[in-house]
Amino acid sequence: MNLPQAAVGEVTSWNAEEGSGSVSSESIPSPAWLHVSMLRGIRFEDIAIGRRFSFEYEELEQDGYAYRATVLWEFGGDRPSDPDDDSGAHISYGSTLRINFDA
C-alpha cells in the first residue's frame, strides 16, 4: 500500500475547464497530477499557477504523471478533514456514489 506523504508546492499548470492540473514540490522529482475533487477548504476559483499550497501525494500514475495529489489545502494551514466526515471543511466541488445490493 502506497501511503500519502505531505509536501508544500505550487501549482504549475491548471485547466479550469477540465478541473485538473499539476502541482510541483522539491519533495518529489516530478509534478503531481491535481484534480478539483482533491481541494479541501479551497474554492475552485482560488487555484492559480504559481500559488503555493500544502498537499498530500502518492506515487501513482495518473494521466501521464508519476504522482497524484490526494488532498490540497491552504499553505501554512492545518490539513482539513476529508469530506466523508461531514465536518463541512470541503467547500469545493465533490460528489459520491453509493450502490447497495440486497443480499
Side-chain angles (χ1 to χ4, degrees), residues 21-75:
S22 62
V23 59
S24 294
S25 171
E26 293 180 3
S27 300
I28 51 178
S30 61
W33 180 80
L34 171 66
H35 187 262
V36 67
S37 64
M38 308 307 173
L39 307 181
R40 302 292 183 270
I42 302 168
R43 295 182 325 217
F44 179 86
E45 299 84 15
D46 293 336
I47 301 299
I49 293 174
R51 184 156 177 207
R52 292 175 58 86
F53 290 98
S54 297
F55 69 102
E56 287 182 357
Y57 67 92
E58 60 187 353
E59 188 172 354
L60 183 70
E61 188 172 333
Q62 177 76 46
D63 291 347
Y65 292 91
Y67 298 89
R68 176 175 71 171
T70 56
V71 181
L72 185 114
W73 66 95
E74 289 290 346
F75 172 66

